[in-house]
Amino acid sequence: MEHSIRDEASAIVVELAGDVDLESSPSARTILLECVGKGKSVYVDMARVTYIDSSGVASLVESFQSARAGGSGFTLISVSEEVMRVIQLARLDKIFTIHDNLDAARQAGD
Amino acid sequence: MHGDTGIATSGGERLAESLELLADMGRDFARSLDIEVTLQSALTRITEYLGAEGGALFLLEDDETTLNCQCCVGAANITGLTLRSDHGIIGRCVQNNAGDIVRDVASDPSFDGSVDTKTGFTTRSILCAPLSVKAERIGAIELINKHGGDGLFDDSDLTLLQVLCSSAALAILNARMASELVEQEKTKRELELAAEIQRSLLPAEPIGPYPIWGLNIPARTVSGDFYDFFELDDGRISFCLGDVSGKGINAAMLMAKTASLYHCLGKTETRPGKLLARLNEEICDTATRGMFVTLVGGIYDPKSMTARIANAGHEPPLKRTPEGLYESFEAEAPPLGIAVAIIPEDGYPEFDIRLDGGALYLFSDGVTEGKLANGKMLGADGVCKILDENSDMSLAKRLRSVVAGLDRGGDLHDDITILGIDSRTEELSTGQGGGKYAPAAPIVPRLEYAIPARAARLRDVRHAVRRFLEDLGYDGTHVPDIVLIIDEACQNIIRHGYGGDSDQWIEIEVALEDFGLVILLRDFADPVDAAEIEPRDLDDVRPGGLGVHFMREIMDEISYLPREGDYGNILRMVKRATEN
């Protein structure tokens, strides 16, 4: 798994890429929690995530919960069909805030 | 702090200053990249603060009989000076692990004036405190001659020095432990690189049914065992399995040398006895410290189902006939690397073993002398029993079953290496093609795959399953769903069965039966509670819980099958074919 972080004035955009699986989800978790910890809105760009498993979903859930507790936003953007399928299986599609792209997310005020 | 300590009685201002000095020093130590520089500056501050003319910090050498001056402050530079650790006032301080005030050194019989004589300095009074953490003695700090006043150190000076010394001692101990860790980490990385090179010397796992298969599990990072097999131009297969005496990095290097020699010379010298004689000469030329190698080398001809082997002092190979009878072949010649002269002119003795539908097993003593969970040795009898129980399984599965029960927890076990030659390869293969032993029943497309239980290997599983299903044109269910649940089931084995990454195996079988897709996952872990696969509350997003939920969502049947042999679990999952 690869990642990049773009720290903007009021938001952080984290891009994850590749497989988020049992091997890489601990580092995905650390990266996301660190970003959430800065108190800004976090957008997770999932466009280039090729695979996600339950441990990857769990790290998204934990970061989502942490952002909520801190009163900041946590939004998934550009979620591929494969990843969306797993989020739906976990019945989290109605729980997470999900947008097609960054502009749509910002317009919606998330 | 009690009211009678020096610090408290010397007034609030002094106490605040002392605490500030202590806090500053603590911070410096915590940030320190170079403990020696930090110690020097700490000593300077302590000496100034307590108004001494000079100060020295002594560390106890490893042998504990000498004290070495690590750094000093003041008129005379005695850095590097060594003293006997039971000598002088500072020696007494270290031995008794107690601080001391000597107001007039002339009246203290322990005082050694020889340092003054050398340096030209005149010592009048001494304040010293030990550097120690619990019972571990590290050294001491000594301050000499107080400026001003009556020129004498008092109890409050001693109390403060003792507190400062405790802080310094802890910092020194921490720095030592940190540098040890760095060193260990470096060695570990180097060993891992060596292990990677060693693994590259082992043959690649054959794709599809193959008459020879082997596995090697190093006891430590690197291994003294090895095996190899490679095809010759005429279709025969050269194979070997060896064990270098001893363990550790020297055994690993001799292993690398022997394996490389075998691989290189074995391509042109196809008479096993001659080949072993050549290896013996090469190893005798350079082997040191009485190390030697036991090795079985041979050539297998799949057409005649015959193996011709030569045995240099190794564990006897074991032949199993299709009827389940065993025959072993004792070594008739000594190990490689002992002496050149004792080997006959025409090489090591060779003998032919006709397999005729049976199989031949070679192993290192790490297998037969390996301990089972109950503390007993597996023994050759134990190997035979496991081979009997698993006789209708593929060669790879049989070999993994043999090593599955061996205890790898402790540091005591030996390298584990086993190699098998099976003359029934084609009969056992259930893949397409079949050959002359193909069963009459319709061929079921089947994927057989195995990995060591490591998170980093799950990618390979996903890739293999995806390719298998896509190649079949499988359209029963969304392929990524099947890939996901096999990944999740493997994760559960790694996390809950083996308790994390392990060298133990996970075997994966995916078969496309006419009623649907059948997935079997076999592990060698302790038996699991069937409740583990019960669906859980969706709020439970721990990976295990969520993964099981995925499995339940996607698959139609999930159950544990009765165990085969003494170890492990078999999880069976079915996705029924949809009726179109």
Side-chain angles (χ1 to χ4, degrees):
Chain A
M1 186 198 74
E2 289 167 22
H3 79 281
S4 67
I5 297 172
R6 203 168 72 235
D7 201 340
E8 298 177 349
S10 61
I12 299 175
V13 183
V14 192
E15 192 197 3
L16 300 180
D19 291 2
V20 187
D21 65 357
L22 185 64
E23 187 191 14
S24 61
S25 59
S27 67
R29 177 183 173 274
T30 310
I31 292 160
L32 292 173
L33 285 175
E34 261 173 30
C35 290
V36 166
K38 291 181 181 164
K40 300 177 187 175
S41 289
V42 173
Y43 299 99
V44 189
D45 184 341
M46 313 272 288
R48 296 203 295 137
V49 174
T50 42
Y51 177 81
I52 193 164
D53 69 353
S54 61
S55 70
V57 171
S59 60
L60 290 179
V61 171
E62 199 180 338
S63 310
F64 168 75
Q65 287 168 338
S66 162
R68 255 200 158 170
S72 56
F74 186 84
T75 307
L76 306 183
I77 54 175
S78 311
V79 179
S80 68
E81 206 178 303
E82 278 80 15
V83 173
M84 196 60 187
R85 163 73 178 153
V86 180
I87 290 174
Q88 279 164 348
L89 273 175
R91 311 230 173 90
L92 290 166
D93 47 324
K94 296 282 186 294
I95 309 241
F96 286 137
T97 312
I98 303 174
H99 284 288
D100 287 347
N101 52 51
L102 195 54
D103 289 341
R106 283 188 166 137
Q107 265 169 27
D110 286 324
Chain B
M1 226 170 266
H2 294 290
D4 62 356
T5 60
I7 292 175
T9 50
S10 11
E13 201 174 311
R14 176 111 200 261
L15 174 63
E17 277 176 26
S18 307
L19 285 177
E20 201 182 319
L21 173 61
L22 181 62
D24 277 359
M25 255 180 58
R27 207 164 32 238
D28 286 352
F29 281 131
R31 284 186 197 145
S32 169
L33 295 174
D34 184 340
I35 187 74
E36 288 182 17
V37 174
T38 316
L39 283 176
Q40 175 72 59
S41 81
L43 181 66
T44 307
R45 294 190 65 176
I46 293 171
T47 309
E48 277 172 13
Y49 187 78
L50 288 173
E53 281 178 22
L57 187 152
F58 283 85
L59 293 179
L60 204 53
E61 302 272 282
D62 288 343
D63 61 3
E64 299 214 339
T65 62
T66 40
L67 282 164
N68 186 3
C69 180
Q70 171 77 30
C71 54
C72 67
V73 181
N77 186 355
I78 55 163
T79 306
L81 177 83
T82 55
L83 301 170
R84 275 186 18 229
S85 66
D86 56 357
H87 196 67
I89 291 168
I90 192 150
R92 187 173 67 198
C93 166
V94 170
Q95 294 304 326
N96 297 342
N97 199 13
D100 208 352
I101 304 172
V102 179
R103 296 207 155 87
D104 178 13
V105 295
S107 64
D108 190 319
S110 290
F111 179 67
D112 173 7
S114 65
V115 178
D116 276 4
T117 313
K118 260 187 249 169
T119 60
F121 190 82
T122 308
T123 303
R124 293 187 304 277
S125 63
I126 287 179
L127 177 72
C128 64
L131 291 163
S132 63
V133 175
K134 291 185 184 155
E136 184 163 357
R137 294 175 303 170
I138 296 169
I141 291 181
E142 182 178 57
L143 300 182
I144 297 168
N145 299 354
K146 189 164 172 123
H147 284 301
D150 56 1
L152 297 175
F153 294 106
D154 61 21
D155 285 346
S156 70
D157 293 334
L158 178 58
T159 307
L160 181 59
L161 183 62
Q162 280 171 330
V163 171
L164 295 171
C165 277
S166 313
S167 159
L170 207 57
I172 295 167
L173 206 64
N174 277 340
R176 285 181 181 171
M177 274 158 52
S179 82
E180 265 172 38
L181 269 181
V182 167
E183 203 49 45
Q184 277 173 14
E185 198 53 38
K186 213 167 110 192
T187 314
K188 201 176 137 208
R189 266 203 309 277
E190 278 167 4
L191 272 179
E192 275 163 7
L193 284 176
E196 207 176 301
I197 290 174
Q198 274 208 314
R199 279 196 296 275
S200 74
L201 295 174
L202 299 175
E205 198 168 311
I207 298 162
Y210 198 74
I212 302 190
W213 202 84
L215 67 90
N216 164 258
I217 302 163
R220 303 180 186 177
T221 313
V222 289
S223 175
D225 284 4
F226 63 98
Y227 69 91
D228 195 7
F229 52 83
F230 48 89
E231 240 169 82
L232 303 171
D233 292 340
D234 57 10
R236 293 186 301 162
I237 305 166
S238 179
F239 63 89
C240 71
L241 185 145
D243 182 351
V244 177
S245 62
K247 283 186 198 174
I249 197 77
N250 47 353
M253 292 189 74
L254 185 53
M255 168 272 181
K257 175 182 172 167
T258 313
S260 308
L261 279 172
Y262 188 95
H263 197 82
C264 180
L265 299 175
K267 284 176 179 159
T268 46
E269 179 52 80
T270 57
R271 288 161 300 175
K274 278 274 191 198
L275 178 55
L276 264 53
R278 283 287 310 277
L279 289 176
N280 183 46
E281 285 166 27
E282 289 290 336
I283 294 167
C284 283
D285 261 4
T286 49
T288 50
R289 294 171 184 263
M291 291 175 71
F292 57 87
V293 185
T294 67
L295 179 131
V296 176
I299 302 279
Y300 175 65
D301 184 352
K303 283 193 211 108
S304 64
M305 294 189 193
T306 304
R308 164 164 290 206
I309 68 162
N311 186 347
H314 194 77
E315 290 262 308
L318 197 62
K319 171 184 154 181
R320 185 180 191 275
T321 67
E323 296 77 34
L325 300 174
Y326 288 92
E327 190 181 347
S328 70
F329 301 85
E330 297 288 339
E332 287 174 8
L336 309 174
I338 306 276
V340 175
I342 50 178
I343 306 306
E345 190 80 347
D346 49 349
Y348 279 74
E350 293 179 358
F351 31 106
D352 287 330
I353 304 172
R354 292 189 57 85
L355 295 184
D356 294 332
L360 184 69
Y361 300 95
L362 277 51
F363 33 80
S364 64
D365 53 12
V367 175
T368 44
E369 291 170 14
K371 294 275 198 305
L372 299 166
N374 61 13
K376 288 193 183 131
M377 249 165 48
L378 176 62
D381 292 348
V383 173
C384 295
K385 181 169 169 275
I386 297 171
L387 291 173
D388 289 342
E389 285 168 357
N390 296 286
S391 62
D392 54 349
M393 288 193 186
S394 72
L395 178 60
K397 283 191 181 184
R398 263 174 280 156
L399 300 191
R400 284 195 289 265
S401 299
V402 169
V403 302
L406 297 175
D407 182 17
R408 304 183 204 154
D411 222 15
L412 294 170
H413 78 79
D414 204 346
D415 301 323
I416 295 168
T417 309
I418 183 164
L419 178 137
I421 303 171
D422 196 326
S423 57
R424 295 175 305 162
T425 319
E426 295 180 45
E427 184 187 353
L428 280 170
S429 89
T430 37
Q432 296 92 330
K436 60 178 171 169
Y437 296 105
I443 294 161
V444 174
R446 187 185 309 269
L447 168 75
E448 284 184 20
Y449 200 77
I451 54 157
R454 297 184 171 281
R457 297 296 302 272
L458 291 172
R459 192 182 311 122
D460 300 338
V461 173
R462 296 196 297 268
H463 181 74
V465 171
R466 193 177 300 126
R467 207 177 56 183
F468 170 72
L469 294 174
E470 284 174 358
D471 285 356
L472 278 178
Y474 176 74
D475 59 356
T477 311
H478 200 43
V479 170
D481 281 1
I482 303 295
V483 172
L484 176 70
I485 68 105
I486 292 178
D487 184 327
E488 296 290 352
C490 289
Q491 285 189 33
N492 277 354
I493 293 172
I494 296 174
R495 294 167 53 90
H496 305 299
Y498 294 129
D501 274 0
S502 154
D503 280 327
Q504 294 269 27
W505 294 87
I506 301 175
E507 292 176 352
I508 300 132
E509 199 176 305
V510 185
L512 189 58
E513 306 276 357
D514 50 7
F515 58 91
L517 197 66
V518 180
I519 297 162
L520 292 180
L521 280 154
R522 183 175 185 225
D523 66 58
F524 301 91
D526 290 335
V528 296
D529 183 358
E532 284 275 318
I533 54 165
E534 293 301 312
R536 293 184 191 171
D537 196 326
L538 244 189
D539 291 338
D540 182 4
V541 289
R542 285 175 304 145
L546 194 53
V548 169
H549 167 74
F550 290 167
M551 286 151 64
R552 287 270 161 205
E553 279 288 289
I554 294 168
M555 302 307 281
D556 296 313
E557 290 171 32
I558 303 180
S559 59
Y560 279 107
L561 298 186
R563 311 166 75 197
E564 289 175 12
D566 289 340
Y567 326 102
N569 305 284
I570 302 173
L571 179 71
R572 180 175 186 268
M573 298 186 281
V574 178
K575 181 71 192 174
R576 281 193 288 274
T578 44
E579 288 161 31
N580 294 328

